[in-house]
Every structure is written in C-alpha cells, then in structure tokens.
C-alpha cells in the first residue's frame, strides 16, 4: 500500500478574537515555476538561494509604461535608474527597449558608457560628482543635473578653465503636499533659491540650461503629488523663458512610482492601494498639456522610473534550513537567505509563497534568515503551510534595490539568473567565492601566515 | 435596470451583511438586518460575513441564517473576492451590504467584479469615499462652503506649535483612523501626538475644538445627487467611548438641508452618517462623515424611513421616491443582552469558518 | 505523561478542555496522534503506527512529535 503524504502534526488554540483560517477550501497559493521554469530545477542547477530575473516581465513592464505615457503625451523619454538595479544584463534590456541611463555616481556613469549608452543620453544626478567626473560628463555632452551651489560654482569654474559647454538642468525641490519633503536635494522652489540658481547659470558664459528636474520622493502613493510637481515645473519653465528668453527643452519628473509591494505598517496590501501607472500618467500629462505651452514648444517629459519597472521581475528562491519553536510557542522557520541578500525586507512585508504543494493547513510563522544576528528577520509573521527542512520558498517582487544594496555579510552573495524571452536561463552574476572576496584584500607581510 | 428581481412577487432575497459585532461599541450589521427583516416588500435570507469568532450576530440565528468568516482587509481584496465567490457558489447572494469603515475600500474596489458574479451592492464611488476622509475633510468643506472645523495636518511634533498659535486651545488631537484627545497645553498636545502617531501612524490631525450639541444624521443617497432619506437624531446619552446609548429623532429643517447639500455635492451613493456639532449660536459643523449606515440605523425604520430596505430596492434597480416625512420623537435606548450558546458553535465558526 | 482524562476530542479535529474552557483545532495527523494518545499508546507505538501509514522518516517524526507534545504541554493538555 502506498503511504500517505506526511504533514507534521499541529494543534492551534482557537482564539476568541481572531480567526486563523477561513474554512477548509481556502487554498494556499503555490508558485512552482518562474516563467515556466521549475523552481526546483533552477535551484538544482544554480544552487540556493538564487535570484531570478524575468526578462519577459521587464519588457512587459517597460512597454506598458511607455505605451501608457506615449498615448497621452507626444514626447516621452525613460531613463533607467542605475541604482535600482545596475546588473549590466538588466540595464541592457532597458537600453534595448529605448531607455537612456540615469546615474548618481562616477562608477555608474562609467558603467552606462561601457554599456554603450551615448554620453548625450546619460543623465548625471546626485550630490556627489568629482571635478574629473564633471569634466568628463561635460565633454561627453551628458545632461548634468546640478544639486547645490557648490557644484554650480565648481562647474562654472571648470567650464572656463577647460573650455567646456556643459548641458545642465536644475534639480528642484518643492512642497507637493507630501511628507517627508525631499528638500535636501537640489534648489528650493518656494523660497526662490531655484531662481538664484537659474540666474547664475544663465549669466554664465558656458553653461547651457536645457532642463528642469525634480524627484519628489520615493514609493509615492498619491498620484496628485505629481500633478502639483508638474504644475510647479511648468510654471518655472514658463517663467524662465519669459524672463531669460530661453526654451527649457525638458522636464524630468524623476522617479518615485511605487511597486505593488506592501510597505511595513500599512494596513492594506500594496496590490490594493498602489496607484496604477495610468493614474500617474494622467496626473502628470494632464497638467503639462493643459498648461498652455504651444504644441511645438511642449517640453520633452523624462521619467526616471526604476522600482515600478523592475520589482516584480525579480524573485528570490530559497530553501528551508530548519523549523524551530520559539519560547513563546510561536513557530519559526529558518531560511538560507537573510536580510544581507534581501535588503528590502527591512521595508516591505514581502509576498512569500511555497514552491511545492502542501496540505491545506497553515501556520503563522516567523521567517528568519541564516545570520547569527537577531535582526535577521524576513517576515515577522506570515501564514504558510507546514514546511519541512529542504522545502523551497519563492519571495516575490525583489527586483529593485536588492541587487544593489545587498551586503556581503556572513554569507556570500548568491548566483543571479536571467530567464530570457524564451525562458532560457542565463547566469548573469556568479555567486561570490572566498577568492573573489579576498582578491581585494592585502595582508601586510608581518601578519602573513608565512611570516 | 435589473428585471430578474421582481420584488413585488416577494422573492426571497439573499443578502450578505457584515458588521455583526453588536458589542459595546457596536457595528451596524445587526441593526441593518433587523431593518431588512421588517420590510414587508420582500423576504430575506441573511448571510452574515464575520471577521472574528465572537461577533454576537453570528450566534443570533433568528436574525442571521448562516455566517461565513471572511479574510481581513489586510489580506487584500483578491482574497476577499476569492472567499466571496466561494460563498456565492453555495448561497447565490443577490446583494452585499458592507458596514465596516476598514473594509469599504476593498468592497468599493471589488464592486464591478462582484456585479459580474451577480452580487449587487450600493456603494459610493472611490472618489466620494476618499473625499470624506478626515485628513482632507476640511479641504472638502472649504471647497463646497460647508462648515467643517478648521484643522491642521501634523506630520512632525514641531508642527503643533504653529497649529496651536493658529487654532488656539482647547484643541482636538485626532488619530489618522480613530481616537481623539482634547488638550489644553502644548505638552498635552505633544503627548497626544506621540501616542496617536505610535498607534495609527502619520499624519495626526489637530482640529479646532467646537463646543455644542451633538447631532447625528443618517442619510441615503441615490448616487445621482438626490437624497432619498434623511433622519436627524440627537444623542441623549453618550457612553465613555463617545457612542450614543440613547437618542431621539428631532425636527430641524436645517439638518435636512445640510444632509441634502452633502449628498448633492458628493452624489453620494448608499448610506452615510454625518456627525454634526451645533454651537450655541446655531452654527452646524460637520465633524466627521462615516461612509456607511450608523449602528443606530434601526431608528430610521422605526421613524418611518427604512433606509436599509430602501437601499436594497435601489441596489436591485427599483425606482424609489424620496421619503417626505418621519416621526419626530422616536427614541432608541440601547441595551445589552447575554446570548447563550454552546462551545461547539464557537468551534464550528472558529475552526471551520462557517456557522 | 498522558493526555488529561477529561479532554474532549471530536472527529472533526476539535479539542475542548473543560478544565480551562479553551478550544483547539488540529490537523488530521494531529487528531490521529491524539486518539492514539488517548488509547494510552506509548510514544514508540505511535511512531510505528504513523510511520507505517505515512511517508515519513522516523527521525523527522520523532522531532515533530516532541514539538507536538511540547505544544500540548504549553496548552496545559497533559498531566505528568
């Protein structure tokens, strides 16, 4: 006789307040494959844990966002936000789709150039640009977004010294009714700082003011804030051309569109509350189109959308190391990946699904990572079927910021696989090794083991 | 127009109702059901939808025919839809009447999906629903010349100093979703801010204190700007949780007008409760708008305007004329009652999700 | 270590402790173990019975049983 499927025995107290399950028909969502490729096969081939990126999903996201904006507004350009995910394979999917590059450091700038992006299609943002980087970006005809007066005066000086004609934009910060105000970047709109900057640029011999840039915040849940931002940007652009007689070629509304992840502490899940790209597009384009620009003078609209285009294309696969009962009776599960790899678990209650069919019973579980550190918690509380050692889980929507903000701490960073449009896996970043880690270390002679 | 529901033939309507928590700070579900059962125009089979195993309505078998547990809104509306589809498969629900503030967002979002399944509802648009949210109610008031106490949105404790200077004491410090404290000093305001922030998150609202008589109005809009029913009620006795323990219907055309104005501006669809504060000078402020029937909704039936039953008719596409009169001086006095049941009943709903 | 005599179990997996008024629910395998337990079967016997019926290694079952019993103890359903 064939034996029955085993599930570990559990007993749950029926709480007088809350109810734990909803009838016996409620089905646990199981995700056994990513774009048709089995989770088990991927892990067998590439090890566990494993990041998986779906090229198909990136292209779907990009094409959707692009269509949504371009059907509403005639001149739209996306610039891929390198810091969100700067794996070259990922960047190049975006560049193939038509994205420019948006970078915030010297090494990101070099990366974009090496990926074949023409200098004139690189936007150089951020408060940290060295003299050499400014000179280089000017010579490459890149778009330099000026963040503060020290940078502005440096660039003016460099342009005189080295006979440069840099194309620049002013980073503007403003009150759009949301909190916190990102007033640490760029020049303030309300107090007139931005005017001082504009005047200084336009009175300089060499700087060419071509655009205005703002970035009102991150994970924005209100599309209306973008309408306010767009309106202030239009007004500023209008006033500048009135006063100085120059045409502002583009308005860069930055990034900040959320993915459908659920922020910690929010009552409703992200899938319910996050505005759609359409809502953001409506808010922004309605304002610009209705502002009163002549058709031929409509500014190019640049968007630096990162997270919303990549988050749901990334998955983290992992394996159960152990189950453990905590002293207060709660059940916990230790996974083979922790907050060192999944940095975003500090911000989100990530969706986690089992990769194999299980029973109908579920249990509230704390999901821990493998680190010897108390803060290594992936989910404080998640309802999962009864897992056993060796079972696998899929963490969803991890494409943004993890593969750039992850830490090499206690464990080494795992493999990253890209599933191409035919779902063929390609290793796009190798798991780190001890040799890799130590290749940049230098042990002084007197501390060497051969001493 | 829905023709399949010929109410005149006294077909039995299957109506799902939430908010069965008839406890000390009661949800409206049980009162709504009582109204529905009293309507002579149709028979009902009531399907209770509950979140917690001890909601008293679950065990009131003379009022609720069958109860199912549903997932909390925090599980996402996809889970809710899945569960409702499952229940619908067995029960063939004609109409759902959600009664909790926290669940309305999900039900409004699911309105079209439910309609496709054949489950009707009569809910406000998301836009109307959001406009009455307390963080932006004063903006709404200014826009439409409706008196709403002046307030300031507080995102940082330092914002309080400015709010105090502009609004003066006493000041009401309110949480984003629930809770409020009246304060008379900056220290007390700061303390309240930290407590409310910890409990409900940001922003916290500082509102000008309005002294006066509390009036509640239950109104029913048709979604086109017409008010079908309005019943104003004065609270006679208030519990320590601020809930009306007893109340009385009153006659004052100004309240009727105010409710009509609100319904007209918002094109409100469905039931709502306006919480009014009338000052000694006779100025009426809208303090809060609850986007659903109040717990005292049975008083509307008792006074001659059965709002829940009328909502059912409208939801099923029947044309209804606005009510013109109601009985003034009808009172309600809330009482508590110890319902007796057996542990097996508790186990069924708690472990199996149905009773 | 044995199950308290007055604990009521049902076929549907519900457990009621009349001493405390607490109710519990269990999955199928949990109910099965409880019924063996009520029949005063030893831990060793239970392990053999479950291993014969379900696809599980003895070591894993032993670990899971220990955890299950510790939960029963935490819930005050056992007498020493």
């Amino acid at each position: 006789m064939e034996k029955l499927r085993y599930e570990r025995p559990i007993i749950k107290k029926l709480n007088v307040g809350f109810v734990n399950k909803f009838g016996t028909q409620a089905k646990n969502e199981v995700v056994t494959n990513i774009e048709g490729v089995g989770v088990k096969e991927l892990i067998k081939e590439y090890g566990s844990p494993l990041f998986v990126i779906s090229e198909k999903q990136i292209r779907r996201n990009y094409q959707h966002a692009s269509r949504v904006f371009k059907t509403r507004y005639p001149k739209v350009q996306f610039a891929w936000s390198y810091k969100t995910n700067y794996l070259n394979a990922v960047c190049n999917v975006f560049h193939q789709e038509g994205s420019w590059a948006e970078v915030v450091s010297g090494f990101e700038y070099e990366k974009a150039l090496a990926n074949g992006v023409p200098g004139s299609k690189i936007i150089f943002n951020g408060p940290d640009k060295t003299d050499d980087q400014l000179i280089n970006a000017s010579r490459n005809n890149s778009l330099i977004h000026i963040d503060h007066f020290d940078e502005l005066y440096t660039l003016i000086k460099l342009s005189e010294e080295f006979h440069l004609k840099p194309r620049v934009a002013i980073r503007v910060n403003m009150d759009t009714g949301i909190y916190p105000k990102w007033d640490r970047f760029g020049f303030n709109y309300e107090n007139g700082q931005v005017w001082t900057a504009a005047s200084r640029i336009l009175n300089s011999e060499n700087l060419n003011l071509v655009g205005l840039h703002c970035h009102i915040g991150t994970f924005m849940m209100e599309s209306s804030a973008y309408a306010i931002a767009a309106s202030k940007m239009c007004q500023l652009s209008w006033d500048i051309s009135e006063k100085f007689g120059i045409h502002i070629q583009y308005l860069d509304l930055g990034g900040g569109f959320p993915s459908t992840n659920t922020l910690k502490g929010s009552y409703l899940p992200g899938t319910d509350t996050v505005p759609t790209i359409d809502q953001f597009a409506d808010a922004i384009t309605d304002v610009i189109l209705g502002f009163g620009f002549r058709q031929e003078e409509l500014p190019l609209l640049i968007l630096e959308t990162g997270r919303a285009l990549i988050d749901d294309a990334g998955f983290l696969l992992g394996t159960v190391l152990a189950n453990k009962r905590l002293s207060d009776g709660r059940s916990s599960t230790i996974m083979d990946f922790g907050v060192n790899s999944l940095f975003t678990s500090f911000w989100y209650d990530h969706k986690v699904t089992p990769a194999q069919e299980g029973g109908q019973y579920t249990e509230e579980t704390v999901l821990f990572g493998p680190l010897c550190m108390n803060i290594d918690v992936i989910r404080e509380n998640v309802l999962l079927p009864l897992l056993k050692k060796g079972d696998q889980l899929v963490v969803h929507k991890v494409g943004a910021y993890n593969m750039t903000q992850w830490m090499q701490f206690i464990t080494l960073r795992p493999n990253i696989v890209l599933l191409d449009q035919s779902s063929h896996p390609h290793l796009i970043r190798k798991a780190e090794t001890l040799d890799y880690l130590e290749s940049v270390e230098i042990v002084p002679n007197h501390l060497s083991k051969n001493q | 127009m829905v023709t399949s529901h010929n109410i005149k033939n006294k077909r039995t309507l299957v109506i799902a109702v939430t908010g069965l928590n008839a406890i000390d700070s009661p949800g409206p579900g049980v009162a709504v059901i009582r109204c529905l059962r009293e309507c002579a125009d149709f028979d009902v089979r009531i399907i209770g939808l509950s979140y917690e195993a001890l909601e008293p309505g679950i065990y009131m078998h003379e009022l609720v025919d069958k109860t199912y547990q549903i997932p909390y809104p925090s599980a996402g509306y996809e889970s809710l839809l899945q569960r409702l589809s499952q229940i619908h498969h067995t029960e063939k629900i004609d109409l759902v009447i959600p009664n909790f503030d926290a669940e309305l967002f999900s039900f409004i979002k699911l309105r079209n999906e439910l309609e496709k399944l054949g489950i009707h509802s009569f809910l406000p648009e998301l836009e109307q629903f959001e406009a009455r949210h307390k963080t932006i109610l004063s903006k709404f008031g200014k826009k439409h010349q409706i008196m709403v106490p002046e307030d300031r949105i507080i995102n940082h404790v330092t914002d309080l100093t400015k709010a105090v200077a502009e609004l003066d004491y006493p000041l009401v410090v309110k949480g984003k979703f629930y809770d409020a404290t009246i304060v008379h000093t900056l220290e007390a305001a700061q303390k309240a801010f930290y407590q409310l922030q910890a409990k409900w998150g940001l922003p916290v609202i500082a509102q000008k204190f309005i002294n006066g008589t509390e009036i509640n109005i239950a109104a029913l809009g048709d979604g086109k700007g017409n008010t079908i029913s309005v019943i104003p009620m004065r609270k006679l006795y208030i519990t320590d949780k601020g809930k009306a323990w007893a109340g009385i219907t009153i006659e004052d055309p100004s309240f009727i007008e105010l409710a009509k104005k609100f319904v007209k501006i918002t094109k409100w669809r469905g039931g709502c409760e306006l919480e009014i504060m009338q000052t000694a000078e006779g100025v009426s402020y809208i303090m809060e708008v609850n986007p659903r029937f109040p717990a005292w909704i049975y008083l509307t039936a008792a006074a001659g305007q059965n709002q829940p039953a009328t909502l059912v008719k409208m939801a099923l596409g029947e044309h209804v004329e606005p009510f013109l009169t109601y009985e003034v001086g009808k009172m309600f006095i809330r009482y508590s009652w110890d319902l007796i049941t057996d542990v097996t009943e508790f186990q069924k709903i708690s472990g199996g999700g149905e009773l | 270590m044995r199950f308290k005599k007055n604990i009521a179990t049902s076929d549907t997996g519900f457990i009621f402790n009349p001493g405390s008024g607490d109710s519990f629910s269990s999955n199928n395998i949990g109910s099965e173990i409880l019924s063996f337990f009520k029949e005063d079967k030893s831990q060793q016997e239970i392990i053999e019975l479950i291993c014969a019926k379900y696809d599980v290694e003895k070591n894993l079952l032993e670990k899971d049983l220990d955890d299950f019993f510790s939960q029963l103890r935490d819930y005050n359903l056992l007498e020493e």
Side-chain angles (χ1 to χ4, degrees):
Chain A
M1 193 185 79
E2 203 179 328
K3 290 187 180 179
L4 300 175
R5 206 184 66 82
Y6 172 77
E7 174 179 77
R8 80 185 127 89
I10 52 159
I11 179 167
K12 279 197 285 206
K13 188 167 175 175
L14 296 181
N15 196 303
V16 291
F18 301 91
V19 171
N20 301 319
K21 59 190 170 99
F22 314 108
T24 46
Q25 298 105 333
K27 204 173 167 323
N28 296 308
E29 188 185 349
V30 176
V31 175
T32 57
N33 72 82
I34 313 289
E35 301 287 10
V37 187
V39 170
K40 306 260 168 214
E41 285 87 88
L42 283 167
I43 285 183
K44 201 170 160 203
E45 179 73 27
Y46 297 99
S48 178
L50 175 70
F51 276 102
V52 177
I53 295 171
S54 158
E55 180 179 343
K56 232 188 269 179
Q57 187 60 34
I58 298 180
R59 291 189 193 268
R60 273 195 290 258
N61 289 343
Y62 182 88
Q63 287 161 10
H64 174 69
S66 172
R67 190 167 53 243
V68 162
F69 271 92
K70 285 177 181 163
T71 49
R72 286 168 172 78
Y73 192 77
K75 294 153 83 178
V76 180
Q77 178 61 51
F78 282 86
W80 176 241
S81 154
Y82 264 49
K83 65 179 178 296
T84 311
N85 188 321
Y86 44 57
L87 290 162
N88 288 334
V90 168
C91 294
N92 288 339
V93 175
F94 283 104
H95 297 322
Q96 276 186 4
E97 289 288 338
S99 255
W100 293 1
E102 185 263 325
V103 304
V104 290
S105 70
F107 98 80
E108 286 186 10
Y109 186 89
E110 294 299 326
K111 234 175 181 308
L113 280 181
N115 280 332
V117 183
S120 61
K121 292 182 176 177
I122 302 177
I123 295 169
F124 199 174
N125 277 327
D128 172 20
K129 308 180 190 87
T130 64
D131 287 7
D132 285 344
Q133 288 162 2
L134 287 170
I135 294 166
N136 194 22
S138 303
R139 288 190 174 141
N140 287 328
N141 205 23
S142 298
L143 298 163
I144 302 173
H145 289 190
I146 300 174
D147 186 77
H148 44 75
F149 280 113
D150 284 314
E151 183 169 83
L152 174 53
Y153 283 97
T154 304
L155 191 58
I156 290 173
K157 192 183 80 170
L158 292 171
S159 72
E160 287 160 0
E161 210 176 316
F162 294 91
H163 310 290
L164 308 167
K165 293 275 181 198
R167 293 195 299 157
V168 304
I170 306 174
R171 167 88 182 246
V172 187
N173 71 64
M174 57 180 73
D175 183 3
T176 56
I178 56 115
Y179 183 84
K181 257 189 264 177
W182 273 24
D183 56 359
R184 57 167 288 189
F185 301 109
F187 303 89
N188 186 252
Y189 176 86
E190 285 81 15
N191 70 9
Q193 213 176 40
V194 69
W195 269 105
T196 318
S199 312
R200 193 66 199 91
I201 292 171
L202 290 159
N203 290 329
S204 78
E205 292 286 310
N206 302 316
L207 272 51
N208 183 9
L209 181 63
V210 291
L212 297 172
H213 170 219
C214 70
H215 191 128
I216 57 176
T218 190
F219 218 89
M220 306 294 301
M221 301 295 279
E222 301 278 344
S223 55
S224 59
Y226 281 91
I228 298 171
S231 149
K232 289 185 176 177
M233 295 278 274
C234 288
Q235 189 63 51
L236 189 58
S237 159
W238 187 276
D239 292 348
I240 288 174
S241 31
E242 286 259 287
K243 184 162 174 204
F244 298 99
I246 66 140
H247 172 57
I248 297 290
Q249 295 167 19
Y250 70 84
L251 301 179
D252 180 347
L253 268 287
F257 300 162
S259 68
T260 52
N261 261 309
T262 302
L263 286 175
K264 277 188 189 298
S266 45
Y267 181 63
L268 293 169
T271 42
D272 287 15
T273 52
V274 165
T276 61
I277 291 271
D278 301 65
Q279 285 168 277
F280 289 111
D282 280 338
I284 293 169
T285 58
D286 283 357
V287 168
I288 307 180
L289 287 172
F291 194 78
F293 293 112
R294 283 212 308 270
Q295 186 67 22
E296 61 275 20
E297 283 186 353
L298 277 174
L300 172 70
L301 170 62
I302 296 181
L303 296 153
E304 300 171 353
T305 312
R307 192 194 314 264
L309 299 183
I310 186 75
D311 226 4
D312 66 353
F315 304 83
L316 177 56
L317 319 182
T319 306
V320 174
L321 295 180
N323 285 307
K324 208 165 182 176
R325 178 85 41 201
L326 300 177
S327 63
D328 59 4
R330 281 180 304 157
S331 127
S332 73
T333 296
I334 306 171
M335 298 302 298
D336 63 355
F337 59 85
V339 293
N340 54 338
S341 314
L342 193 66
F343 190 82
T344 50
S345 52
F346 288 124
W347 317 329
Y348 302 136
D349 287 334
H350 273 294
K351 176 179 168 183
V352 180
T353 55
Q356 56 282 310
E357 294 292 339
Q360 64 197 11
Y361 280 87
T362 55
E363 197 174 27
E364 304 239 325
T365 306
V366 191
L367 266 198
F368 290 123
L371 306 181
C372 283
M373 258 180 60
N374 204 38
I375 60 160
D376 189 21
V377 183
I378 304 295
R379 287 287 308 265
E380 278 96 2
N381 185 359
V382 59
L383 206 58
L384 285 172
L386 308 177
L387 300 165
K388 57 179 187 294
K389 179 175 158 65
D391 279 350
Q392 278 138 3
L393 293 182
V394 177
V395 187
H396 299 255
K397 298 174 206 166
V398 304
Y401 293 105
N402 282 305
M403 286 157 257
T404 50
Q405 290 196 54
W406 53 359
M407 288 166 277
Q408 184 282 305
F409 177 64
I410 300 184
T411 62
L412 299 165
R413 296 172 175 119
N415 277 324
I416 303 178
V417 165
L418 176 90
L419 299 175
D420 69 18
Q421 298 200 76
S422 329
S423 294
H424 287 306
H426 301 264
L427 186 63
I428 59 168
R429 192 179 194 276
K430 282 191 257 179
E432 292 174 354
T433 59
L434 183 58
D435 284 344
Y436 165 84
L437 191 62
E438 292 184 342
S439 66
V440 285
E441 280 193 55
I442 300 159
V443 181
N445 266 338
H446 72 283
L447 297 173
S448 142
K449 64 185 174 201
N450 301 324
Q451 187 60 35
Chain B
M1 195 60 61
V2 181
T3 48
S4 60
H5 300 285
N6 194 340
I7 289 173
K8 294 285 180 306
N9 287 347
K10 274 204 107 174
R11 176 178 175 274
T12 298
L13 298 173
V14 182
I15 303 179
V17 180
T18 71
L20 307 180
N21 55 329
I23 52 170
D24 61 342
S25 176
V30 169
V32 167
I33 295 166
R34 210 175 152 199
C35 290
L36 298 179
R37 288 214 175 271
E38 241 172 55
C39 180
D41 298 334
F42 50 80
D43 288 330
V44 288
R45 171 171 164 80
I46 297 292
I47 305 302
L49 302 175
S50 67
Y51 293 99
E52 298 185 5
L54 286 187
E55 292 179 27
I58 300 169
Y59 305 91
M60 298 180 177
H61 302 309
E62 67 290 357
L63 284 179
V64 183
D65 294 291
K66 170 100 186 186
T67 301
Y68 295 88
Q69 299 279 7
I70 57 172
Y72 279 96
S74 55
Y77 56 69
E78 279 300 326
S79 317
L80 177 63
L81 179 62
Q82 199 192 334
R83 179 62 171 156
L84 289 176
S85 311
Q86 221 177 63
I87 299 168
H88 184 57
H89 188 74
T90 320
E91 299 290 351
K92 304 280 175 284
I93 301 167
D94 291 302
L95 174 70
V96 62
I97 306 180
N99 290 303
F100 271 125
D101 292 5
E103 73 187 359
L104 280 167
F105 177 86
S106 314
F107 275 97
I108 292 172
K109 280 259 184 180
L110 285 179
R111 213 177 58 196
N112 293 334
E113 297 289 328
L114 294 176
E115 197 72 37
K116 272 186 222 154
L117 294 174
I119 305 176
H120 301 285
S121 60
F122 206 65
L123 296 165
E125 296 292 331
L126 199 56
E127 210 182 342
Q128 307 163 343
F129 175 74
E130 300 282 349
R132 41 70 29 201
H133 197 270
K134 60 175 147 177
T135 51
I136 51 170
L137 187 61
S138 70
K139 209 196 240 169
F140 172 83
K142 276 205 189 88
K143 188 168 161 196
H144 299 291
Q145 287 93 46
I146 286 179
M147 296 295 281
V148 171
E150 215 175 325
D151 64 17
R152 297 288 180 272
I153 303 299
I154 310 293
N155 274 307
H156 192 269
V157 71
T158 51
D159 297 343
L160 275 172
T161 322
K162 198 162 164 247
V164 162
E166 289 168 2
L167 303 178
D168 209 0
Y169 299 113
L171 196 64
V172 189
V173 186
K174 301 167 87 170
K176 189 173 163 187
F177 295 115
Y178 300 102
D179 291 343
T181 316
I182 298 168
V183 298
H184 296 86
T185 64
L186 187 59
E187 289 69 35
Q190 286 166 344
K191 187 168 162 239
F193 170 84
Y194 286 125
Q195 283 169 342
L196 292 167
Q197 179 194 19
K199 199 159 174 196
W200 300 114
L202 288 173
V204 166
I205 301 139
Q207 189 180 64
K208 195 174 171 64
F209 177 77
I210 308 286
N211 197 10
T213 310
E214 277 188 62
I215 309 289
N216 288 359
I217 305 175
L220 182 64
D222 70 353
K224 297 170 197 143
N226 305 309
T227 307
I228 303 302
S229 163
V230 195
I231 301 286
M233 176 275 286
R234 202 191 116 203
K235 291 183 185 179
L236 291 177
Y237 187 84
I238 298 170
T239 69
D240 56 359
K241 289 192 174 174
K243 302 286 160 188
W245 199 254
I248 184 164
T249 57
I250 53 170
E251 183 176 18
D252 184 335
S254 77
F255 295 137
I256 312 272
E257 285 316 305
L258 182 60
K260 282 185 173 170
K261 187 173 177 187
F262 174 81
V263 169
K264 191 170 176 183
I265 290 165
T266 55
K267 295 201 169 57
W268 194 266
R269 188 191 298 117
C272 66
E273 181 191 30
L274 308 182
E275 294 185 11
I276 307 293
M277 192 67 86
Q278 190 181 38
T279 63
E281 295 78 37
V283 183
S284 294
Y285 287 87
I286 296 188
M287 307 301 288
E288 244 176 83
V289 178
N290 297 315
R292 38 136 187 101
F293 289 130
W296 55 272
I297 194 68
Y298 186 71
L299 189 66
T300 65
Q305 300 190 2
N306 188 332
Q307 291 191 1
T310 310
L311 177 138
V312 168
K313 293 177 187 173
M314 288 196 288
L316 298 181
E318 197 177 298
H319 177 75
V320 294
E321 288 297 325
F323 287 97
L324 299 173
T325 57
Y326 60 92
E327 281 185 63
V328 173
K330 276 283 172 208
M331 283 176 66
F332 78 90
I333 302 154
R334 196 165 281 163
Y335 70 108
S336 49
W337 172 270
D338 296 349
L339 187 152
I340 302 303
T341 187
D342 192 77
V343 69
T344 51
E345 297 242 298
F346 167 71
Q347 287 176 343
K348 271 187 215 156
I349 186 74
S350 187
E354 291 180 25
L355 182 66
Chain C
M1 183 180 73
R2 38 192 304 186
F3 216 33
K4 280 189 181 164
K5 277 270 176 290
N6 58 352
I7 306 283
T9 55
S10 77
D11 305 339
T12 44
F14 290 117
I15 299 116
F16 178 59
N17 179 357
S20 67
D22 286 330
S23 291
F24 305 88
S25 79
S26 179
N27 57 353
N28 296 346
I29 201 161
S31 309
E32 220 166 321
I33 291 167
L34 288 177
S35 64
F36 290 145
F37 210 38
K38 281 188 93 175
E39 293 162 16
D40 281 333
K41 291 209 165 31
S42 72
Q43 187 155 344
Q44 211 42 52
E45 285 172 302
I46 293 176
I47 288 174
E48 272 158 32
L49 286 163
I50 297 289
C51 277
K53 185 169 172 191
Y54 292 92
D55 182 20
V56 58
E57 278 177 39
K58 210 172 150 186
N59 285 345
L60 177 63
L61 179 61
E62 223 173 79
K63 171 187 157 275
D64 287 346
L65 263 188
D66 283 343
D67 183 49
F68 189 58
F69 289 143
S70 81
Q71 279 181 278
L72 296 180
R73 195 173 299 117
D74 285 348
Y75 288 142
N76 206 15
L77 296 171
L78 299 181
E79 57 191 23
E80 298 300 324

